[in-house]
Amino acid sequence: MAGQRPVGAITRGTTNPNRLRRCDRWLAGPQAGRLRRAAGIPVVVDLGYGASPVTAVELHERLRRVRPDVEVVGIEIDPARVAAALPLSRPGLRFALGGFEVPLPGGARPVMVRAFNVLRQYDEDAVAGAWATTVERLAPGGLLVDGTCDELGRLAAWVAVTADGPQTLTLAWRLRGLERPGLVAERLPKALIHRNVPGEGVHALLEALDDAWRRQAPLASYGVRQRFVGTAAALRDAGWPVLDGPARWRLGELTVAWDAMAPRP
């Protein structure tokens, strides 16, 4: 792909240390098998890391606890951001210029691509094309994570996309001080942010979450974690395709099958 113009546009690039910790914890937890199963050195891409490379550095530190030989590549479309990040390169961590085409030397294919707070700044109709371009570059069984979070990473949401299309939506909260789960609506990924209206699955999901949260208010006397665990269990019992369990719920994390909230045509 040498000489190919990067696919995408320069975005604001705002970031903060520890901002993507909730997604990193998910990649190093439920998704760790993708790293362990990889033959050879697994490559993971932090796509659109922004004005500071701190999220790529943190991703490398967290994933090498799972797979010490993991190679993290921070890819940015802004040449100035790449130049600023290069001094932080080290074994297992490097930086490159590129976009959704995910250019890697030798045609290497990443096991995971994390793109956070990137597509949020695009038009909704650009999402499908960006997903398709990136997924085409993945290793067999690879995963694209398209997500959004607030400035401090206290609210986050991400879609897991494979060669078969979007698979899940994961929502994550800082439970301490949480008023209600539905507040994560303001941080939905671009594919869903404009679909939080009556008649759409994601709207129904957030309404059901808030309703279950209210009903579990008596558990608040045992702490916010117990209240959230009760909320997630009630959501599952109501028929929602919740794919994880109490171990993840206690972290303030909930994963639901994509089919339940896929945007209507």
Side-chain angles (χ1 to χ4, degrees):
M1 293 193 174
Q4 177 176 319
R5 181 177 179 180
V7 177
I10 297 176
T11 55
R12 289 190 300 273
T14 54
T15 189
N16 278 305
N18 223 22
R19 188 182 185 189
L20 305 186
R21 62 193 179 280
R22 300 187 190 283
C23 182
D24 289 355
R25 184 171 58 192
W26 184 76
L27 293 175
Q31 302 304 314
R34 298 179 188 274
L35 293 174
R36 297 191 178 105
R37 290 191 298 268
I41 297 175
V43 178
V44 177
V45 169
D46 186 11
L47 182 60
Y49 56 81
S52 165
V54 63
T55 58
V57 174
E58 292 171 343
L59 182 63
H60 181 233
E61 291 173 350
R62 289 160 179 161
L63 293 188
R64 68 179 180 176
R65 298 170 191 164
V66 176
R67 184 77 185 251
D69 61 341
V70 67
E71 181 176 356
V72 171
V73 182
I75 292 181
E76 246 296 335
I77 200 168
D78 184 346
R81 295 173 185 171
V82 177
L86 287 177
L88 292 177
S89 299
R90 63 192 187 197
L93 175 65
R94 56 192 176 87
F95 300 91
L97 179 70
F100 292 112
E101 79 286 2
V102 191
L104 294 174
R109 294 185 175 272
V111 176
M112 301 175 184
V113 174
R114 183 191 66 184
F116 244 74
N117 302 304
V118 177
L119 283 171
R120 178 66 181 270
Q121 301 177 52
Y122 284 66
D123 292 333
E124 183 181 358
D125 59 9
V127 173
W131 283 359
T133 299
T134 304
V135 166
E136 187 177 359
R137 297 289 299 125
L138 292 173
L143 185 72
L144 163 65
V145 179
D146 170 21
T148 305
C149 64
D150 66 359
E151 289 73 12
L152 298 179
R154 294 179 177 181
L155 294 173
W158 58 88
V159 181
V161 186
T162 70
D164 296 321
Q167 302 299 308
T168 60
L169 171 70
T170 299
L171 305 173
W173 301 261
R174 179 180 183 268
L175 293 180
R176 184 183 301 172
L178 180 63
E179 180 183 340
R180 59 181 180 85
L183 293 174
V184 76
E186 65 192 43
R187 299 298 170 177
L188 289 171
K190 194 66 180 189
L192 295 173
I193 188 70
H194 301 301
R195 303 299 183 129
N196 186 25
V197 294
E200 292 281 356
V202 70
H203 182 269
L205 172 67
L206 295 177
E207 289 283 299
L209 262 173
D210 278 349
D211 181 64
W213 177 258
R214 287 189 293 269
R215 293 175 181 273
Q216 299 302 312
L219 291 178
S221 59
Y222 298 101
V224 67
R225 292 185 187 276
Q226 286 302 111
R227 184 178 182 180
F228 187 80
V229 168
T231 297
L235 191 74
R236 182 189 58 193
D237 293 345
W240 285 92
V242 176
L243 302 180
D244 48 14
R248 305 308 298 182
W249 301 341
R250 292 189 187 97
L251 300 174
E253 181 185 297
L254 183 74
T255 298
V256 183
W258 176 259
D259 289 347
M261 78 281 306
R264 297 179 63 181

